[in-house]
Each structure stands twice: as C-alpha cells, then as structure tokens.
Amino acid sequence: MASDPSQSQAQVALILGPDSTHLESLITHLMSSSNWQRSQAESLFNLCKQAHPDSLLLGLAHLLHSSPNPETRTMSAILLRRHLTRHHDSFLWPLLSPAARSSLHSLLLSSLHKEPLKSIAKKLCDTVAELAAATLPDDEAAWPDLLPLLFQWVTSPDARLQEISLLIFGQLAHYIGQTLLPQLSTLHSVFLRCLHSSAPSDVQIAALAASINFVQCLSSPSDRDRFQDLLPLMMQTLTEALNSGQEAVAQEALELLIELAGTEPRFLRRQIVDVIGSMLQVAEADALEEGTRHLAIEFVVTLAEARERAPGMMRKLPQFVRKLVGVLMNLLLDIEDDPAWHGAEDEDEDAGETSNYGFGQECLDRLSISLGGNTIVPVASELLPTYLAAPEWEKHHAALVALAQIAEGCSKVMIKNLEQVLSMILNSFRDPHPRVRWAAINAIGQLSTDLGPDLQVKYHHLVLPALAGAMDDFQNPRVQAHAASAVLNFTENCTPDILTPYLDGIVSKLLVLLQNGKQMVQEGALTALASVADSSQEQFQKYYDAVMPYLKAILVNANDKSNRMLRAKAMECISLVGMAVGKEKFRDDAKQVMDVLMSLQQSQLDADDPTASYMLQAWARLCKCLGQDFLPYMGFVMPPLLQSAQLKPDVTITSADSDTEFDEDDDSIETITLGDKRIGIKTSVLEEKATACNMLCCYADELKEGFFPWIDQVAFTLVPLLKFYFHEEVRKAAVSAMPELLSSAKSAVEKGQSQGRDETYVKQLSDYIIPNLVEALHKEPEVEICASMLDALNECIQVSGPHLDEKQVRSIVDEIKQVLTASSSRKHERAERAKEEDFDAEERELLKEENEQEEELFDQIGDCLGTLIKTFRASFLPFFDELSSYLIPMFGKDKASEERRIAICIFDDVAEHCREAALKYYDSYLPFLLEACNDEYPDVRQAAVYGVGVCAEFGGSVFKPLAGEALSRLDAVIRHPNALHSDNVMAYDNAVSALGKICQFHRDSINATQVVPAWLSCLPIKGDLIEAKVVHDQLCSMVERSDRELIGPNNQYLPKIVAVFAEILCAGNDLATEQTVSRMINLLRQLQQTLPPSTLASTWSSLQPQQQLALRSILSS
C-alpha cells in the first residue's frame, strides 16, 4: 500500500465502491498466510473503518448476503460480529447513521433466513445476538422487528429456522433475560415443544441450550420453578440420542447439562435421584464411547463440586456415591503391564496407563475434596479390601492408587484410622507384582504429604524401614527410584529428632543408589538426600565428608545432554546439604561448587535445559548459607535472575467460543477463560518467573544493606508484578519482596553503604512501592493474598512510616475500609449458604476453614492500623474517627471472636499511643472493653484486660469512676478456677498487670490494704514475658520506695516479696530486664543488712531449698 494519502483515499474509494470484488479481495488478504500481505490488508481495512464505517459494514453485510464464496461469507460474519459487539475495541454501531442501521438490521435477518451452510448460520446467529445485546437493554425499540420475527421462526414448520431462533434466544438469555421476562410463558411453551422427541435432534439440542441459559439467568426462584417441568424432557434429549446411536448429539447434550450442574445445581434437586441415576447408567454402559461415559461421570462430579450453590446435596445420596466410586475404581483397572515400565530407561511412569485410568484418578481426587472424608471413607473401607483380596494385580494396584487419590480430601478422617490404612499399604510392599509395590510406595509418599506430620510422628518406625527395604529392590529400578522419592515426601514433614536414629541406614542406602547405573535411580537418590539433609539440619554434618565427594563428582562429570537432569538435581542437593551443615563445614567446597556454577552459567544452555531453573535456586541457597560472603558473586548472579523475573508470559488469546482448541491434556499450557476470551499460557515460563521472583526476595532478605546496588532494578521489575494475575506465586513473591527492599534501602542509608544516597532515597522508594501495593490490594481477587498484601503493607509502614504523607495514609485507610466491606459481604454469603436445606457438618467444617482465612485478614488489618497509630499518634485520630463506624459493629456479640479481639486491640493502641488525645473515646469504647474482660474467648479477654490496664495508666480522672467495675472484672479473670491453664494464662498475666496499674495510678479509689497484697499474691507472672518485665519492674519500684501497703504491717509481706524476687532471679533474664535484676539484687543486699536477724531468718526459711541456694550464690557473687 502506498504511503501517499491521495493514493490511499483512492484505494478506500475503490474498496467501498459499487464493485464488491475489491472488498472481497481485501477480506481474502486479511486471511493471508503472508504476514506482509496481511498487515497491508489490515491497514487498509482500518482506513475504511475510520473514513466510512457505514459503507464498510454495509459492504460486509452485502457480501454476507450475496457472495457465492463460503469463505467470504464466513469472514464477513466474523468481521461484522467484531464491529457490532459492545465490549469490543472497534464497536462501530454508535457511528452509524439511522439509515445504515436499518439496512444492516434487515440484511442480517435476510441473510440468516436464507444462509444454506450451518457453520455460517451459527456465526451469523452470534453476530445478531451480539448486536441485539448491545442495543436492546438500553432501548427495547432499537430493533423492533427482531423478537417478533424470532417468535415467528420458532413456531414455523422449518426446522432450520426453529434451530436458528433457539440459538439466538439462548444467547440473548444472558444479555437481555430481564427484557424477555414478559415473554417467559411463551418461551416456556416453545421450549417444551422443541424439546419434544418429535423434534429433530438439532432443534432439541438448541432448545436444551436455550432453556439451560434461561434457567441460569432467572434470578427469582419462582421463575425458575416454571421451568422445572422441562427437566425430564432435557434428560430425554440425552437418552433418546443414546438410544438412537447419536453419540455426538448425546455428548453435546451432556456438555450443556454439565454447565447446568455447575451453575444451577439446585434446579436439579427435586429430580436429583432420577437425574443422577440416569447419568450413572450411562457411565456404566460399556457399549458406549469412552468420551460419552466420561462426560456422564463429569456431570456427577461437577454436581458434587457445586458446593457453594448447593452445599451438601450430593452427600444426602450415599447410594450414588458408592456407585460412582465403584465406577471410578473400575476405570483404574484399565492399565496394561507395559514392558517399557519395567525397562525403566526413561522417566515415563505412565507407561501402560490409559485415558480411562487417568480420568478415574482425577475424579477420585476431585470427588474426595468436594464430598470430604465422612462420605468417602466408609465407601472406600468397603470397596478397597475386596480389591486387595482379589487375585488380579490390577485390582491391588487400583486400590492403592485410589487410596493415594482420596488422601487429600479425606485427610481428617483418614488420620483417625491411620493404623488400618497403613497396614493395608505396608502389606502390599511384599506383593509379588512390582507395579503393585510401586503403587504402595506411591501411596506412602502421598500420605506423607496429606496426612503429615501425624503419620511421621506416630508411624516412622513402620514406614522408614519399609522404604529402606524397597530401596534394595535392584531387580526393579523403578521401584527403587520411587522408594527414594517417597523418602523425600516423608522427610519433608519430619523433625530432626524423628529422623536421626534412621540416618545411618538411609544415607548409606542412598549412597549405594547414587552409584547405580540407572539414571532415574540416581536422580531419586539425589532428591531424597537433599530432603534428608534439609530435614536433619546439623545432624547431617557427620555424613558430609562421605556424601559431598559423590555430589561434586556428579556435578562436574554429568555433562552430556542425557544427564542434564542429574546434574541439576546434584546442584539442588549440594546447596541444600550446604545450608543444612552450615557455612563453616561447607566453606571449602563452596568456592569450588560456585566456580562450576559460574562456568555453567556462562556456557550456552539449551532452552529446555532444566539446569537454569535449578541454578537460580541453588545460588539463592548458597547465599543463605554464606551470608555476606556471597556478595562477590552477586554481580554474576543478578543479570540472568532479573532476566528470568522479567520473562513475558507466553500467552495465546482466542475468543471463548472460537474453534481454536487448546490441547486440554497438554500440561505445559494452562487455560483460563476471562469474559469472552480464552487465554492459554505456557506454564514453564510462569514457573521460572515465579522461582526467579522468590529468589530476588531471598537475596534482599539475606543480604540486607548489601543488596543496595540492585534495589532499583528489582523494584522496577517486581512492583508491576503485584498485579500479575496469570500466576499467584509470582504475585506472592512480589508482595513479600516489598518490605525487604525498603528495609534493605533504609539499612544501607543508616550504615553508610548507600553509594552517597540519603533518606530522600528511602522516601522515593516508599513513594513508589506503597501506592502500588495499595492499588494491587484493591484489585486482588484471592483472600489469602489480600492478607499477605496487608502484612507486607504493615511491614512497609514500619520501615518508612514517617515518610508517608497524608494522601498516602488516606489511600491506605480507604483501602482498609474497602477490605472490611468485602469481607463482610463474603461472610454474609457464607451465612446464606449455611441456611441451605442440605447444609451439613462437612459443609460447616469447610465454612470454618474459609472463616479462618477471613480471620487472618482481620489480624493483618489490626496490625496495619496499629502500626499507623503508633507511627502518627494523635494526628491519625481523624482517620480513626472515620473508621469507628466500621469498628464499633465489630464488638457485636454476633461477630467472630477474632473480629472482637482486633477491634479491642485497635482501641488499645489508640489509648496507649494517643494518651490525652484519646480520652474522648473512653465513653464509647470502655464499656465494650469492660464487658469483654469476661468474654468466653481467652484471646478476647487478654486484649480487653490489657486495654483496661492502658486506660488505668493514661485515663486519669476519666477512668476514675470506672475503677470499681474494672476491679471486679479483673478479679473474675484472676480468680477463675482455670486461670493458669495454658489457654488462659496470657489473659491472667495481663489482668494482673492491669490490676498493678490500678494500684499505681488509682490508689485513692480502691481499698489498697486489700488490693495491693492481693496483687502481690499473684506474682511472679510467667506466661506473657513482655508484661512480666513491666510488672516485676513496678514491684521493684514499690519495694524501693517502701510502699506501705505492699510491705504490710510489721513487714508482714516481706517473705512473699523475697520469694517472688528469688523466683524471678532464678529464671535468668526471662522474667525481668537486666536492669530490674540488678535492682532486685541490691534490694536483697539492703534487706540483709537492715532487717532484724529473726525476720531475716524466717524470710529465708519460707523459701524452697534450691531458691535459698540460688539466692546465696547470687548475693555472694
């Protein structure tokens, strides 16, 4: 195309002129495989669009109407759709004249009426539906002849027109469902007629799709109920298609019904028994295609997963659960004894597994997660033993594989029956068939993860010897390798004390496997050794000299392409062993290892070489092990690491209903559907990016001020990733790095290692990080990541609080309000779910887990506000005033204990850090605090009594009238029969501390001769070590000034005081600061010199013998 404007205008005039062949050839060029030709055509097309949208769209509509060429008609329909869809960037409808609009309407409907090819007619239905959706919701008269015509077609004898109108109605349901409500009874009778068995199957399927779409978009239950009588006919569409051998039609029907099960499961409830019964019949019918049977199973599993909409519904049908698990177990039997599996030459553990087997595995996992252990375990306990008792190895294998698959969803129930479960598995370690032994080892590995650490703590004496025995199976290298992998799973959840007695045996076996000829065995041994070292920490030092030479040899010698994974695993193992044994032991080898890594990094690694990602992690571990000694290598490590963190996701975007299919089974591509787009993403790129981001965070954390030279680059890389929605791990890593970067900058400035930059640098960095973090929090969809973001924000404020300006504080507070509102609406949704008729104990358990996540969020909100209050003190109070409408309701009895606790803590912070400025809030908040002193939850009591202490200290005359009530509230906490139980001791200690503050600041309002000795009788406190130091310091001050009520008449309470001192001094620096300790020692020496000998003797004799000894040695030193 010429760049000359006049020439371009001439070309546009030609294309949009009366001769349609020019437009037709432009369309052909838009589909060209030559990039040059295609981009020229796109530029011209865009010029036409800008200059004459009317003529362009009408030209396309004429081609669609009259071109004999199917490709041209197809492309015209697609282009029209794109430009008539409201949410598309190039929506042209608003630019069209009324005359063009009217012509376009009639051309589209006329084309639809006469289009002979079904594939093009369907695309045209999409175009018409999109245009209707874009215009009718705002103005019902925008396309006056559309709905009458559709109702005319749907009742015509022509099946093609019936199908077209149903397809369009189906799409309109989502867009203009409300507009169509007046026509609901007409539509209902239309669907009833078209679903009937006399209708052609295409019409039935279109009616099925349309009626399902309407059920989904009807918001009122009574409207949905009017469609209830369609359900038997919907199911009939499926059974008739199957009976007449039309499996393709049946599969279409199943896919539509699966959508219904996922979105409107309650619609199925009244007929649930018939519906699931039919589906399980299909699943069991051997004569049907595998794809059909899988879809029927998918329907039932989807229904089980639709928990949020119909909690507990499937659990009410145990007979079906039993049948379904039986069907899935049957799929697991579809496995062949493939020689490649025994040969163990390659990684492929799936040799001999079929698609039935894989689908059975996946569904057992999903089913157990959605229904839970109370439903699944009884069924499994009935089925699995019969499988294990059968003669066929396939049945033994299936039982063990099923156990591994259900462990995650059934973990709580399986932990209660761990002994039976384990004996089933460990008996199979002796099975004659190696694939069964492999499956038994696999089950142990899975259970170590899902049922740990209970399994490790209670049954290490059974499991570790069994795995050690399996490592001796030299006839079956795949079994050996898998036993090593299971050692990895087992030790990941293990403490050094459990592992130590077995280390000699396990490490020596793993060293033997390291020298095995089979690469998979060597790799298994390396990962197991790495995990064993990581779990046993310094206990691993005694094996270091035996193990390290082998590891270095593999690192240096495993050079050819077939050994790349081996070398990568050796790297991982060396770095974990180094971290376990520590810098001193590892130092001599570290330099040599890092030299090898440096030369590897400089060599050109292939794109698919695993070395690169393993190296990223190995460098970071070496840094953790060597600390500041690692700095000289940073210049070398950072460039490739930043490159990996900056990787662009490899994304393919298509429209959700396009014909481009991603390969569903391709593990390297993950697909997400967002609105009308389907996005395919290459997962390996995302994983490398996530690893790199995590490593950057590690370096900042480990090197502190030493990380200064890289802060800017890392901040510019990671801050945008706070909103990287393709991968949660990337966001999490970016979030955790934010406070690390700020503290690294602050530390470098304070220690003069910031290359001449001063505090203003920290402010600039903070101005970049904090607003972006707040904005990301606003958009974050995951509750768990919201909590991490608040946590990071809190740490950032701690580092750079004074640098925040009022606008930034305002945005943080506004965001906290937003988070509180969102949380409260999620809680409301959960409360609604709890009212559902099928709600049961399992659902209650799941809700409890979701609520715990919400509590974590509240914790972080409390910490954030606490930090803002500590940082800005009284100048934060205007914001606190705004928040009070959110905080006061949190004190409500109906609120979760964690919410009440957070609300109290926030007020405690205000009272403590704003002092006089906070007095005006006492009237509103103190009544809540006093009531909460006797709350049933100890954490709430602790926060409340702490607050009473703070108010007693700073409240002066405002607190005075309440001192009496406060005393009786504190007294109830202190005298409670279980006050010193481990759950209650923190509340007790804080109540004692608060009582001390009332004695100190409000003595004139109390009966001191009773209260002060009562307080003394509670000492020393030993649970809350922070309060202990405060209280024992106060005791010391009172003794120093010979407090009359404390010492008592005739030194009555001196023995108790000396006994308290003795107990505090015997505890070292735990219960008192160094300063308090030395003051106590001085006081005791003074007492020795000033007290009459008889008093002194009786005081000593009241002490326990070991306290007497300890005191004598302290006083004489």
Side-chain angles (χ1 to χ4, degrees):
M1 186 191 87
S3 51
D4 173 11
S6 58
Q7 199 175 344
S8 303
Q9 283 173 345
Q11 280 180 293
V12 167
L14 205 57
I15 290 166
L16 299 178
D19 179 356
S20 63
T21 53
H22 299 290
L23 179 56
E24 191 154 1
S25 69
L26 177 69
I27 290 178
T28 313
H29 289 161
L30 282 174
M31 299 184 280
S32 163
S33 55
S34 138
N35 285 344
W36 181 83
Q37 199 170 40
R38 199 170 60 247
S39 69
Q40 292 292 316
E42 280 165 3
S43 310
L44 258 178
F45 187 86
N46 287 334
L47 280 175
C48 295
K49 198 159 75 178
Q50 284 153 13
H52 302 289
D54 283 31
S55 315
L56 175 64
L57 291 193
L58 285 172
L60 289 171
H62 280 293
L63 282 178
L64 176 64
H65 192 258
S66 324
S67 168
N69 181 348
E71 272 96 21
T72 303
R73 296 206 304 283
T74 302
M75 197 62 188
S76 301
I78 291 172
L79 288 169
L80 280 167
R81 178 187 175 184
R82 185 174 302 159
H83 294 93
L84 296 175
T85 296
R86 168 170 275 175
H87 301 298
H88 207 284
D89 320 339
S90 36
F91 182 48
L92 296 181
W93 185 256
L95 309 177
L96 304 187
S97 65
R101 289 178 179 189
S102 167
S103 308
L104 205 52
H105 276 153
S106 52
L107 276 168
L108 286 173
L109 293 177
S110 164
S111 305
L112 200 51
H113 187 265
K114 59 176 247 189
E115 175 55 59
L117 286 180
K118 179 169 259 184
S119 62
I120 299 177
K122 282 192 167 172
K123 288 191 169 50
L124 243 171
C125 288
D126 294 342
T127 308
V128 168
E130 286 291 1
L131 179 55
T135 53
L136 291 181
D138 303 331
D139 173 12
E140 289 184 29
W143 193 343
D145 41 357
L146 175 67
L147 290 176
L149 188 65
L150 290 178
F151 278 113
Q152 184 189 326
W153 283 356
V154 85
T155 49
S156 94
D158 182 344
R160 194 180 62 85
L161 292 177
Q162 285 178 31
E163 184 188 2
I164 285 171
S165 53
L166 287 165
L167 288 172
I168 295 175
F169 275 132
Q171 291 186 37
L172 290 182
H174 289 302
Y175 298 118
I176 58 161
Q178 297 313 306
T179 318
L180 291 168
L181 278 181
Q183 318 287 338
L184 212 54
S185 53
T186 317
L187 282 168
H188 174 267
S189 53
V190 163
F191 295 156
L192 199 61
R193 196 185 65 254
C194 295
L195 280 168
H196 213 275
S197 53
S198 54
S201 63
D202 286 353
V203 172
Q204 283 183 22
I205 288 289
L208 180 63
S211 41
I212 285 175
N213 283 351
F214 269 94
V215 169
Q216 287 175 356
C217 79
L218 294 172
S219 47
S220 99
S222 61
D223 286 339
R224 268 203 305 270
D225 283 351
R226 290 162 69 179
F227 277 63
Q228 194 74 52
D229 59 346
L230 297 180
L231 187 53
L233 288 171
M234 292 178 177
M235 292 301 294
Q236 187 183 307
T237 309
L238 169 64
T239 44
E240 286 189 356
L242 289 172
N243 293 339
S244 59
Q246 293 179 290
E247 280 200 57
V249 174
Q251 290 183 7
E252 261 188 275
L254 279 165
E255 279 166 0
L256 291 165
L257 290 164
I258 288 168
E259 188 186 336
L260 179 65
T263 52
E264 281 305 329
R266 285 169 300 196
F267 181 71
L268 302 166
R269 178 187 276 122
R270 288 185 205 164
Q271 303 173 46
I272 191 86
V273 174
D274 298 341
V275 170
I276 295 181
S278 309
M279 288 296 179
L280 288 175
Q281 268 182 322
V282 175
E284 289 178 311
D286 290 336
L288 294 175
E289 284 172 27
E290 194 177 280
T292 308
R293 293 163 61 199
H294 286 194
L295 284 169
I297 294 170
E298 179 63 39
F299 174 90
V300 187
V301 175
T302 301
L303 203 50
E305 286 176 325
R307 270 189 37 239
E308 291 192 4
R309 295 168 186 274
M313 182 164 80
M314 274 292 289
R315 278 193 289 270
K316 297 278 191 302
L317 305 165
Q319 74 280 23
F320 286 140
V321 175
R322 185 170 293 113
K323 202 166 187 186
L324 177 59
V325 173
V327 168
L328 297 176
M329 291 289 298
N330 209 28
L331 293 180
L332 294 183
L333 297 176
D334 193 358
I335 183 168
E336 292 142 25
D337 203 2
D338 190 322
W341 190 89
H342 297 277
E345 289 309 327
D346 59 8
E347 281 296 297
D348 185 17
E349 285 180 346
D350 310 337
E353 294 176 9
T354 58
S355 54
N356 266 335
Y357 176 90
F359 186 66
Q361 267 190 312
E362 176 206 327
C363 290
L364 276 170
D365 180 36
R366 289 166 55 197
L367 195 66
S368 64
I369 288 171
S370 53
L371 297 183
N374 290 329
T375 306
I376 296 290
V377 169
V379 177
S381 328
E382 207 177 293
L383 265 175
L384 299 186
T386 60
Y387 265 62
L388 286 168
E392 304 88 345
W393 74 265
E394 292 90 344
K395 287 199 166 170
H396 302 186
H397 187 270
L400 294 161
V401 167
L403 258 181
Q405 291 306 106
I406 64 172
E408 183 186 352
C410 302
S411 57
K412 287 185 179 148
V413 180
M414 279 169 82
I415 282 172
K416 293 177 194 156
N417 310 307
L418 204 44
E419 204 159 336
Q420 296 106 292
V421 174
L422 260 184
S423 70
M424 281 195 324
I425 299 173
L426 293 175
N427 286 339
S428 300
F429 269 55
R430 298 189 291 278
D431 194 280
H433 200 292
R435 288 201 83 149
V436 175
R437 297 200 295 280
W438 181 95
I441 294 167
N442 184 58
I444 286 289
Q446 194 59 52
L447 266 56
S448 299
T449 304
D450 293 329
L451 310 187
D454 294 70
L455 175 77
Q456 283 81 341
V457 172
K458 292 183 190 148
Y459 296 106
H460 53 88
H461 61 288
L462 298 175
V463 173
L464 284 170
L467 290 175
M471 284 196 263
D472 292 336
D473 189 350
F474 288 94
Q475 300 304 305
N476 292 287
R478 206 180 282 274
V479 173
Q480 275 181 306
H482 213 52
S485 303
V487 167
L488 155 81
N489 300 122
F490 190 87
T491 49
E492 273 179 333
N493 253 329
C494 225
T495 49
D497 52 314
I498 291 177
L499 211 47
T500 306
Y502 302 98
L503 283 176
D504 284 358
I506 287 179
V507 173
S508 60
K509 296 223 181 215
L510 290 172
L511 280 177
V512 172
L513 297 190
L514 266 192
Q515 300 158 68
N516 187 296
K518 293 279 186 194
Q519 191 172 325
M520 77 164 55
V521 177
Q522 288 179 298
E523 286 177 18
L526 280 172
T527 35
L529 262 177
S531 175
V532 167
D534 191 32
S535 299
S536 53
Q537 288 300 308
E538 61 275 10
Q539 301 292 334
F540 199 78
Q541 286 192 354
K542 67 184 259 203
Y543 308 102
Y544 181 86
D545 298 332
V547 170
M548 193 48 83
Y550 284 115
L551 300 181
K552 287 196 308 192
I554 295 175
L555 182 65
V556 175
N557 300 325
N559 287 327
D560 59 17
K561 192 162 181 173
S562 62
N563 285 336
R564 294 185 311 189
M565 196 61 177
L566 194 61
R567 182 174 65 192
K569 296 259 167 96
M571 241 177 245
E572 171 181 65
C573 190
I574 290 172
S575 57
L576 279 162
V577 166
M579 271 176 72
V581 298
K583 177 161 140 180
E584 294 315 312
K585 186 87 178 152
F586 182 51
R587 178 174 279 144
D588 296 340
D589 291 309
K591 173 150 182 19
Q592 195 186 341
V593 168
M594 295 205 284
D595 289 344
V596 174
L597 294 192
M598 277 167 50
S599 70
L600 268 174
Q601 193 160 300
Q602 282 162 322
S603 65
Q604 282 298 304
L605 295 171
D606 295 341
D608 62 343
D609 189 337
T611 311
S613 71
Y614 276 82
M615 196 143 46
L616 291 183
Q617 297 180 58
W619 280 126
R621 290 191 203 104
L622 293 167
C623 171
K624 263 197 163 21
C625 174
L626 300 175
Q628 299 296 320
D629 294 356
F630 187 80
L631 277 172
Y633 296 93
M634 284 294 284
F636 195 80
V637 167
M638 285 299 285
L641 185 58
L642 281 163
Q643 211 178 335
S644 293
Q646 288 160 359
L647 282 171
K648 292 271 179 282
D650 187 345
V651 176
T652 321
I653 300 180
T654 59
S655 80
D657 46 9
S658 83
D659 307 331
T660 322
E661 279 300 318
F662 294 109
D663 179 1
E664 293 295 328
D665 297 328
D666 184 352
D667 288 341
S668 67
I669 292 187
E670 187 178 340
T671 54
I672 10 181
T673 304
L674 283 179
D676 59 354
K677 298 273 179 285
R678 192 189 292 120
I679 301 175
I681 309 167
K682 209 173 175 73
T683 44
S684 57
V685 174
L686 294 183
E687 278 153 20
E688 182 180 340
K689 189 177 179 77
T691 303
C693 295
N694 271 313
M695 299 306 119
L696 288 172
C697 191
C698 279
Y699 287 122
D701 171 38
E702 191 56 47
L703 298 171
K704 307 284 186 284
E705 61 280 359
F707 194 67
F708 185 84
W710 293 279
I711 290 178
D712 281 353
Q713 279 174 285
V714 172
F716 288 126
T717 302
L718 293 184
V719 165
L721 299 179
L722 293 168
K723 292 186 285 203
F724 186 80
Y725 299 112
F726 293 126
H727 200 281
E728 282 181 23
E729 286 309 312
V730 172
R731 294 207 300 289
K732 284 181 186 167
V735 169
S736 357
M738 296 300 117
E740 301 296 354
L741 293 175
L742 275 173
S743 38
S744 169
K746 187 179 183 182
S747 176
V749 168
E750 285 168 356
K751 294 185 179 173
Q753 295 182 21
S754 54
Q755 304 166 353
R757 311 290 293 268
D758 59 9
E759 276 293 317
T760 54
Y761 173 71
V762 182
K763 169 147 179 59
Q764 283 165 1
L765 187 63
S766 159
D767 287 349
Y768 177 50
I769 284 178
I770 288 180
N772 276 297
L773 188 54
V774 172
E775 191 192 334
L777 173 59
H778 188 71
K779 296 180 172 168
E780 178 51 54
E782 297 295 327
V783 175
E784 186 190 344
I785 299 181
C786 282
S788 309
M789 285 178 163
L790 283 162
D791 186 26
L793 185 58
N794 177 37
E795 287 182 42
C796 290
I797 301 167
Q798 285 169 359
V799 176
S800 58
H803 295 296
L804 290 177
D805 57 35
E806 189 176 341
K807 184 165 163 254
Q808 289 170 332
V809 175
R810 146 77 45 227
S811 72
I812 292 171
V813 170
D814 284 347
E815 192 42 48
I816 285 176
K817 291 180 190 168
Q818 172 72 33
V819 172
L820 285 167
T821 308
S823 173
S824 132
S825 73
R826 283 192 299 270
K827 284 188 179 136
H828 178 70
E829 272 169 37
R830 284 197 280 275
E832 288 304 303
R833 243 157 69 202
K835 294 177 190 161
E836 286 283 343
E837 58 191 90
D838 296 314
F839 190 77
D840 59 9
E842 292 268 345
E843 283 303 318
R844 184 163 290 110
E845 193 61 34
L846 291 160
L847 281 193
K848 198 170 124 202
E849 284 168 24
E850 288 175 39
N851 283 329
E852 279 164 12
Q853 258 195 355
E854 217 68 66
E855 283 176 11
E856 176 60 25
L857 196 65
F858 272 87
D859 265 358
Q860 304 300 352
I861 290 172
D863 290 348
C864 249
L865 288 173
T867 301
L868 287 166
I869 292 161
K870 289 174 192 127
T871 308
F872 296 102
R873 300 184 182 261
S875 56
F876 185 74
L877 290 177
F879 294 108
F880 177 72
D881 294 337
E882 286 178 31
L883 284 163
S884 59
S885 61
Y886 293 80
L887 296 175
I888 300 266
M890 286 165 62
F891 286 101
K893 278 274 185 281
D894 57 327
K895 294 292 187 274
S897 61
E898 195 52 22
E899 257 185 81
R900 295 204 298 280
R901 184 184 76 79
I902 299 293
I904 294 168
C905 287
I906 293 169
F907 173 69
D908 291 355
D909 284 332
V910 167
E912 184 170 353
H913 299 284
C914 306
R915 307 205 172 172
E916 297 73 47
L919 294 175
K920 59 182 180 187
Y921 301 111
Y922 280 35
D923 280 356
S924 318
Y925 284 87
L926 254 177
F928 288 124
L929 245 63
L930 289 167
E931 190 177 343
C933 286
N934 308 120
D935 195 276
E936 60 178 307
Y937 290 97
D939 291 352
V940 177
R941 290 202 296 278
Q942 179 190 344
V945 295
Y946 176 79
V948 168
V950 170
C951 295
E953 184 171 348
F954 301 117
S957 58
V958 181
F959 182 82
K960 199 186 248 1
L962 297 163
E965 186 187 347
L967 271 185
S968 67
R969 295 278 188 176
L970 294 173
D971 189 51
V973 176
I974 292 169
R975 285 177 189 270
H976 191 281
N978 294 329
L980 292 170
H981 182 277
S982 61
D983 287 345
N984 302 324
V985 72
M986 298 296 272
Y988 172 84
D989 285 1
N990 281 269
V992 173
S993 174
L995 184 59
K997 287 178 177 164
I998 292 177
C999 294
Q1000 186 177 344
F1001 298 100
H1002 297 277
R1003 191 152 313 186
D1004 50 351
S1005 308
I1006 60 174
N1007 178 353
T1009 52
Q1010 268 188 335
V1011 176
V1012 175
W1015 173 72
L1016 175 64
S1017 70
C1018 300
L1019 303 185
I1021 56 173
K1022 305 175 200 167
D1024 186 333
L1025 298 182
I1026 297 173
E1027 283 308 303
K1029 293 183 175 76
V1030 175
V1031 170
H1032 301 147
D1033 184 72
Q1034 181 189 343
L1035 172 68
C1036 218
S1037 305
M1038 288 165 78
V1039 177
E1040 283 168 344
R1041 59 168 190 266
S1042 304
D1043 189 297
R1044 205 175 63 229
E1045 283 92 358
L1046 180 75
I1047 308 288
N1050 305 323
N1051 297 329
Q1052 183 183 346
Y1053 303 125
L1054 254 186
K1056 172 63 181 168
I1057 292 170
V1058 173
V1060 171
F1061 279 12
E1063 215 175 322
I1064 293 169
L1065 294 174
C1066 290
N1069 284 346
D1070 278 353
L1071 302 181
T1073 59
E1074 257 178 78
Q1075 202 184 0
T1076 309
V1077 165
S1078 63
R1079 284 164 59 202
M1080 285 184 174
I1081 293 171
N1082 287 338
L1083 282 167
L1084 287 169
R1085 287 189 177 137
Q1086 281 171 29
L1087 289 174
Q1088 259 183 319
Q1089 286 153 14
T1090 53
L1091 283 181
S1094 59
T1095 317
L1096 200 59
S1098 70
T1099 302
W1100 272 136
S1101 64
S1102 68
L1103 297 178
Q1104 294 166 354
Q1106 73 265 37
Q1107 287 179 336
Q1108 292 184 24
L1109 278 173
L1111 274 195
R1112 285 214 171 86
S1113 84
I1114 289 170
L1115 292 174
S1116 61
S1117 64

